[in-house]
Amino acid sequence: FSPAEKVWIVGGLQKVPVSREALIASSNLTFTERSVSTAWLTPGRDLGAVVDARLEMLRFRVGAFNGGGDLLGDDNPGKLFAARIEANFGDERTYQTYGTVDDLTVGVGVDGWANSGRSVTSSGVGADLIVRFDGFALLLEGRRNRLEPKEDLVVAPGTLAETDRQGVFAQLGYTVGSFEPAVRYSILDDDTNTEDAGDAGELLGGVTWHSDKDQVRAGLGYVSRLENNRNAVPNDTLRAWFQLKL
């Protein structure tokens, strides 16, 4: 509901207001899936409430959630809190990459979150940028997380020591007619103190075709896996995707 003209309160199972790429609707993703850094370093969906306020070029979102990601209940007494602020310059959309724009449009966002789980306290910060000009769309994002195991463990933690994780990605695409060729480079370091198989990345290049009203998308791309592991086996993939919006 809306207690004021430019302030909304949204409750239920929803996306935690963190990361521009995570907040982009799946129907608007360039490659129909998110980067490896976003997939591993953002909370995703959770049950809670978000206050969403807009003032001129600024947008503020603050949310409180159960922290377990479950629609049917709460599995621990801790809570997840998140906040995001972003500034938009220009009149075009900043949560999609497809299409041409008449004027330069820029969106900048920063956010942070903290979650007290049953065995691990986790927190993270991030910043993102989108630039759209003519048919070009540039999307950049960087994130850093920290995991801290609790002393009074209830269940086995996912980490036994304080662990810092970080990741970045950059994506550049161009809309020409009904086609959107794009390339994305993303990396993930799941422990900044260790060089191992957890240091992984990917380079994805492809092209997506859009129907007139963008109700149908079909694309083809190639994923090159960049893994820091002497025993890694070749696992590059050729992908095809199809999306129908009803």
Side-chain angles (χ1 to χ4, degrees):
F1 68 95
S2 177
E5 182 179 355
K6 296 184 178 180
V7 178
W8 289 83
I9 300 176
V10 182
L13 184 66
Q14 59 187 301
K15 291 182 178 180
V16 176
V18 167
S19 167
R20 186 177 302 274
E21 191 188 33
L23 292 170
I24 291 177
S26 58
S27 60
N28 286 329
L29 290 173
T30 308
F31 298 112
T32 71
E33 70 172 10
R34 296 173 176 85
S35 64
V36 62
S37 55
T38 300
W40 282 92
L41 301 179
T42 57
R45 293 179 181 272
D46 210 335
L47 186 64
V50 172
V51 178
D52 187 344
R54 306 189 188 198
L55 177 64
E56 300 298 333
M57 297 182 300
L58 299 178
R59 183 178 183 183
F60 307 86
R61 276 177 278 188
V62 178
F65 304 85
N66 279 346
D70 191 351
L71 174 64
L72 302 178
D74 192 1
D75 63 357
N76 66 84
K79 294 293 180 281
L80 186 158
F81 300 96
R84 176 176 173 84
I85 179 174
E86 57 187 75
N88 299 314
F89 307 91
D91 298 326
E92 304 293 342
R93 296 181 179 180
T94 56
Y95 279 88
Q96 72 175 48
T97 60
Y98 172 65
T100 59
V101 297
D102 296 328
D103 301 310
L104 173 67
T105 296
V106 178
V108 181
V110 293
D111 53 59
W113 59 274
N115 184 19
S116 179
R118 288 186 293 175
S119 58
V120 173
T121 298
S122 55
S123 60
V125 294
D128 53 73
L129 168 71
I130 186 171
V131 179
R132 300 184 66 192
F133 177 72
D134 191 30
F136 286 99
L138 173 66
L139 187 59
L140 304 173
E141 188 164 329
R143 311 211 61 81
R144 186 175 179 88
N145 287 12
R146 171 165 291 182
L147 305 177
E148 300 178 66
K150 292 183 175 180
E151 295 182 358
D152 51 339
L153 298 179
V154 178
V155 296
T159 180
L160 298 177
E162 184 178 288
T163 304
D164 289 319
R165 306 188 299 173
Q166 62 186 15
V168 297
F169 83 85
Q171 177 181 302
L172 179 64
Y174 182 74
T175 297
V176 50
S178 299
F179 293 89
E180 184 185 12
V183 60
R184 183 178 71 199
Y185 174 67
S186 60
I187 57 175
L188 170 70
D189 185 350
D190 71 348
D191 186 349
T192 58
N193 293 319
T194 304
E195 294 186 7
D196 55 15
D199 303 335
E202 64 177 19
L203 179 63
L204 194 166
V207 59
T208 301
W209 171 82
H210 302 253
S211 66
D212 290 341
K213 296 183 179 181
D214 203 21
Q215 292 179 312
V216 179
R217 293 186 178 191
L220 184 68
Y222 184 82
V223 181
S224 176
R225 300 289 188 182
L226 309 173
E227 299 173 335
N228 184 21
N229 185 356
R230 296 179 180 179
N231 299 319
V233 298
N235 61 351
D236 294 353
T237 57
L238 180 65
R239 295 184 180 180
W241 54 86
F242 177 83
Q243 186 178 81
L244 175 63
K245 303 179 187 179
L246 300 177

